[in-house]
């Protein structure tokens, strides 16, 4: 099975991927955002620090390298515009594969802004916390690392990321309408997971 988990920044994609990957035995393909944060390249940072999309060719090369010849995997953060979606369709078609389902975590804009401004990331291991729903102990990560606010989680950058999502990413819902599973992403983590599973197991 090939899955894409889809939703605005902060909709809980990362959390669901871990569980889905385990239950359905899918390899989680790292999201471009995570890969970019690891690469830590100044040229790429010009885009990521302002919330704009990195050029399509660069992202495709990176993600297709990660997919390789895998058969069962779950994508996160790619594709993020129509051109990327078409490029992915062609890449998979050449390998006689197809993206089976797109799971859309629907979350309102007010909820997104609230979640992201309370998000903190461990500077050492990359684990995410939420100051309200999943607070760290003594303001430190379980691994002992310092918690920081992601540069692009600051309010003005969040606004740009949401605009990019609404203008460039949201149209993919129409593109994938024949394989779309829409789930209310504002429920608790377990209910979101159960709703996704119910739809996938139909
Ligand atoms: P994320 O961690 O998914 O919010 O991504 C962080 C940043 O990485 C985004 O704001 C973009 O600048 C860049 N990025 C992530 N995914 C893509 C993509 N599919 N295409 C282009 N840029 C991306």
């Amino acid at each position: 099975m090939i899955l894409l988990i889809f939703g605005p920044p902060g909709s809980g994609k990362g959390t669901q991927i871990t569980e889905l990957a385990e239950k359905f035995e899918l390899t989680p393909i790292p999201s471009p955002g995570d890969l970019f944060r690891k690469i830590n390249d100044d040229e790429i940072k010009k885009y990521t620090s302002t919330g704009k999309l990195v050029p399509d060719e660069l992202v495709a090369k990176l993600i297709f390298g990660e997919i390789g010849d895998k058969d069962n995997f779950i994508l996160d953060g790619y594709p993020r515009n129509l051109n990327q979606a078409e490029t992915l369709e062609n890449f998979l078609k050449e390998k006689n594969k197809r993206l089976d389902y797109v799971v859309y975590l629907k979350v309102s804009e007010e909820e997104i802004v609230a979640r992201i401004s309370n998000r903190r990331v461990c500077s050492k291991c990359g684990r995410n916390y939420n100051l309200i729903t999943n607070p760290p102990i003594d303001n430190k990560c379980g691994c002992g690392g310092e918690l920081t606010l992601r540069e692009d989680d600051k309010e003005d950058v969040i606004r740009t990321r949401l605009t990019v999502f609404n203008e460039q990413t949201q149209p993919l819902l129409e593109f994938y309408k024949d394989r779309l599973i829409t789930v209310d992403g504002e429920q608790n983590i377990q209910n979101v997971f159960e709703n996704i599973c119910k739809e996938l197991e139909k």
Side-chain angles (χ1 to χ4, degrees):
M1 179 159 68
I2 302 178
L3 271 189
L4 161 66
I5 189 133
F6 183 92
S11 54
K13 299 183 295 268
T15 310
Q16 295 298 330
I17 278 175
T18 312
E19 311 247 346
L20 287 168
E22 193 173 322
K23 181 170 169 99
F24 294 98
E25 297 185 356
L26 305 171
T27 306
I29 305 295
S31 74
D34 282 342
L35 292 169
F36 294 145
R37 280 184 284 281
K38 265 203 198 120
I39 297 170
N40 200 12
D41 176 279
D42 282 344
E43 193 54 36
I44 287 174
K45 267 200 207 150
K46 282 187 198 152
Y47 301 96
T48 56
S49 64
T50 53
K52 299 200 180 104
L53 293 185
V54 173
D56 291 346
E57 310 75 60
L58 222 156
V59 192
K61 212 165 132 199
L62 205 64
I63 291 297
F64 296 165
E66 293 285 336
I67 297 175
D69 284 324
K70 295 181 184 70
D71 288 320
N72 296 297
F73 56 89
I74 179 161
L75 287 165
D76 167 20
Y78 186 88
R80 237 157 149 141
N81 63 27
L82 279 173
N83 182 48
Q84 293 182 5
E86 279 159 4
T87 307
L88 176 67
E89 289 286 285
N90 292 335
F91 170 79
L92 293 175
K93 207 187 254 172
E94 275 173 22
K95 294 175 177 276
N96 287 321
K97 289 176 196 164
R98 184 175 188 264
L99 175 58
D100 296 299
Y101 298 104
V102 175
V103 176
Y104 170 35
L105 301 181
K106 197 171 175 188
V107 179
S108 70
E109 202 153 313
E110 306 92 87
E111 174 71 14
I112 292 297
V113 174
R115 281 189 194 178
I116 295 189
S117 50
N118 285 308
R119 175 155 76 181
R120 294 294 180 277
V121 184
C122 174
S123 49
K124 213 161 131 193
C125 73
R127 184 169 159 191
N128 276 343
Y129 290 86
N130 181 292
L131 295 182
I132 296 170
T133 57
N134 177 24
I137 298 167
D138 293 336
N139 216 19
K140 280 220 162 28
C141 179
C143 79
E146 293 295 328
L147 299 179
T148 55
L149 180 69
R150 254 169 64 176
E151 197 58 36
D152 62 345
D153 278 352
K154 294 184 177 150
E155 182 139 0
D156 53 331
V157 187
I158 297 177
R159 296 276 167 209
T160 307
R161 290 164 69 202
L162 286 174
T163 305
V164 168
F165 179 80
N166 291 333
E167 290 176 358
Q168 300 191 49
T169 313
Q170 192 91 0
L172 294 186
L173 294 176
E174 177 65 22
F175 184 89
Y176 288 128
K177 64 178 182 228
D178 60 338
R179 48 199 132 153
L180 193 64
I181 293 174
T182 302
V183 172
D184 173 3
E186 294 195 25
Q187 311 167 84
N188 68 46
I189 292 172
Q190 192 54 30
N191 283 357
V192 174
F193 179 62
E194 281 167 15
N195 284 345
I196 299 173
C197 293
K198 224 176 357 189
E199 292 296 325
L200 289 175
E201 286 168 339
K202 260 185 189 167

